[in-house]
């Protein structure tokens, strides 16, 4: 059975130094598993510098691994293609080595901030439950918790999940998740934009309870409201603007394992490169949540799609760091 050695993601210590990031990005995108995956799809990874190789992989992955571009659908709405057993095994081995499969424990015992990333309704419940377990069981000590979401409307299927009946938006699912997982009741403070919900709208709910760090649930506005709703970088920036981040801060980001490479790279770009803080990003352990994974969540096409997401996120990170080093 094919296997590869694990490939490190870019590291991010407090007082972030961008000089080493290009080498670490190159290590991920030119690694043996990435080369094997490109060869499986009929080509050879070229010899090039980081910028050129990222551009090449962007175009290559768009042709072969971008299953969302037909109809511009959400991740759970993709019509999965058929894979033969050999290709399925290779994709799983590559995804495992590139850090998209295995859950990981927090590498440190204390953090200044814990961020729980939003997503589909199921993921909102899983990630908040896992984050609360880390805090309640003393795995990590944190100064505060923030659940980051948006005003993406929930689908009918999402509202059939436990506790989400009557919920309207992704932020509502995050709110249900943190209330249930942390044992919270009513927010002590609620701030929001005025008027009807649009891509410019925002909201923050703050909870405080005995024995629990402060918990905030945020819906961020879009940085491009004419074109789309808020995305993960928007939520990072919206939270950071309200958090008085220091270069010595450490942040733990909790997401799903499959999204760790791209959401970690976005966190470095939006938080470490701008504010200097250190960041660790982990995927939750499905065995430690009561809401099971969705059918098809670990299909080969999902891993290929998120390997492409990792490439794009590292491309954005590299471009941002190149600009900061040149300034």
């Amino acid at each position: 059975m094919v296997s590869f050695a694990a490939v490190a993601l870019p590291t991010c210590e407090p007082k972030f130094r961008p000089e080493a990031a290009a080498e670490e990005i190159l290590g991920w995108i030119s690694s043996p598993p990435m080369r094997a995956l490109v060869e499986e799809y009929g080509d050879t990874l070229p010899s090039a510098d980081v910028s050129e190789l990222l551009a090449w992989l962007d175009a290559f992955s768009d042709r072969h691994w971008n299953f969302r571009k037909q109809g511009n659908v959400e991740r759970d709405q993709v019509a999965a293609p058929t894979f033969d057993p050999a290709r399925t095994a290779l994709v799983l081995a590559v995804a495992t080595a590139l850090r998209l499969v295995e859950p990981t424990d927090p590498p440190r015992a204390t953090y200044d901030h814990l961020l729980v990333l939003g997503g589909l309704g199921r993921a909102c419940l899983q990630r908040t439950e896992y984050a609360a377990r880390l805090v309640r069981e003393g795995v990590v000590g944190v100064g505060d918790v923030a659940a980051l979401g948006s005003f993406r409307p929930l689908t009918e299927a999402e509202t059939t999940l436990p506790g989400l009946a009557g919920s309207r938006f992704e932020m509502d699912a995050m709110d249900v998740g943190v209330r249930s997982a942390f044992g919270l009741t009513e927010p002590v403070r609620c701030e929001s934009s005025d008027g009807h919900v649009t891509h410019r709208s925002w909201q923050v709910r703050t909870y405080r309870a005995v024995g629990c760090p402060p918990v905030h649930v945020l819906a961020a506005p879009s940085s491009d409201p004419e074109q789309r709703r808020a995305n993960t970088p928007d939520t990072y920036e919206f939270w950071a603007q309200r958090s008085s981040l220091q270069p010595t801060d450490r942040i733990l980001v909790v997401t799903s394992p499959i999204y760790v490479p791209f959401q970690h790279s976005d966190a470095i770009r939006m938080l470490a490169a701008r504010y200097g803080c250190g960041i660790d990003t982990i995927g939750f352990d499905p065995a430690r949540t009561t809401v099971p994974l969705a059918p098809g969540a670990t299909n080969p096409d999902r891993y290929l799609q998120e390997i492409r997401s990792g490439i794009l996120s590292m491309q954005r990170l590299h471009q941002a760091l190149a600009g900061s080093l040149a300034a």
Side-chain angles (χ1 to χ4, degrees):
M1 184 175 180
V2 64
S3 64
F4 302 94
V7 182
L9 292 170
T11 55
C12 185
E13 291 296 311
K15 299 183 179 179
F16 175 68
R17 296 172 58 85
E19 294 84 353
E23 182 177 347
E24 293 174 323
I25 291 171
L26 179 62
W28 195 84
I29 63 175
S30 65
S31 61
M34 186 70 79
R35 292 181 182 277
L37 189 60
V38 169
E39 291 172 4
E40 172 68 17
Y41 280 82
D43 214 327
T44 301
L45 201 66
S47 298
D49 65 20
V50 179
S51 296
E52 293 170 340
L53 190 53
L54 284 164
W56 190 91
L57 281 168
D58 177 0
F60 182 84
S61 64
D62 186 53
R63 290 195 303 272
H64 296 289
W65 309 331
N66 188 3
F67 306 104
R68 295 181 66 189
K69 64 182 178 181
Q70 296 183 2
N72 194 29
V73 296
E74 298 289 348
R75 286 174 167 86
D76 64 334
Q77 297 171 327
V78 171
T82 301
F83 292 79
D84 64 49
R87 177 167 286 185
T88 296
L90 177 67
V91 170
L92 180 59
V94 169
T96 300
L98 294 180
R99 307 300 183 107
L100 284 81
V101 177
E102 299 294 339
T104 51
D105 294 326
R108 308 173 202 284
T110 59
Y111 290 88
D112 298 283
H113 313 281
L114 191 161
L115 303 183
V116 188
L117 302 188
L120 297 174
R122 184 183 300 269
C124 292
L125 300 177
Q126 293 165 328
R127 297 171 193 174
T128 51
E129 181 181 6
Y130 186 69
R133 280 180 177 269
L134 295 178
V135 174
R136 286 200 319 269
E137 296 175 5
V139 178
V140 293
V142 299
D144 58 40
V145 177
L148 310 184
S150 74
F151 281 116
R152 176 187 65 81
L154 298 179
T155 65
E156 183 177 352
E158 288 175 284
T159 60
T160 65
L161 291 166
L164 297 191
S167 297
R168 297 178 59 200
F169 300 105
E170 176 187 310
M171 180 181 177
D172 297 325
M174 296 296 280
D175 195 63
V176 169
V178 298
R179 286 190 190 219
S180 174
F182 286 95
L184 303 171
T185 54
E186 294 299 316
V188 297
R189 185 174 183 181
C190 187
E191 310 162 75
S192 64
S193 56
D194 296 327
H196 297 293
V197 170
T198 70
H199 290 340
R200 291 182 171 85
S201 298
W202 59 272
Q203 188 173 106
V204 182
R205 302 171 191 167
T206 299
Y207 295 88
R208 293 183 182 273
V210 176
C212 178
V215 178
H216 312 279
V217 184
L218 295 77
S222 172
S223 60
D224 188 9
E226 301 302 326
Q227 299 297 322
R228 57 167 176 77
R229 66 175 181 266
N231 58 19
T232 301
D234 291 335
T235 65
Y236 283 143
E237 178 63 13
F238 181 65
W239 169 78
Q241 290 173 348
R242 307 175 62 87
S243 300
S244 301
L245 290 180
Q246 301 298 314
T248 53
D249 284 355
R250 289 191 182 274
I251 300 170
L252 177 64
V253 178
V254 174
T255 184
S256 302
I258 195 170
Y259 305 133
V260 165
F262 101 77
Q263 292 182 329
H264 179 64
S265 299
D266 277 348
I268 295 175
R269 177 170 62 93
M270 300 303 298
L271 301 176
R274 298 185 182 190
Y275 301 94
C277 45
I279 299 168
D280 294 320
T281 305
I282 63 170
F284 76 85
D285 185 351
R288 302 190 68 199
T289 62
T290 57
V291 179
L293 293 175
T298 58
N299 283 354
D301 63 288
R302 300 291 181 91
Y303 288 124
L304 292 173
Q305 186 76 55
E306 300 316 322
I307 290 171
R308 168 169 165 75
S309 295
I311 291 165
L312 297 180
S313 181
M314 291 189 191
Q315 185 177 44
R316 293 188 294 266
L317 172 60
H318 184 259
Q319 290 168 346
L321 296 180
S324 67
L325 288 171

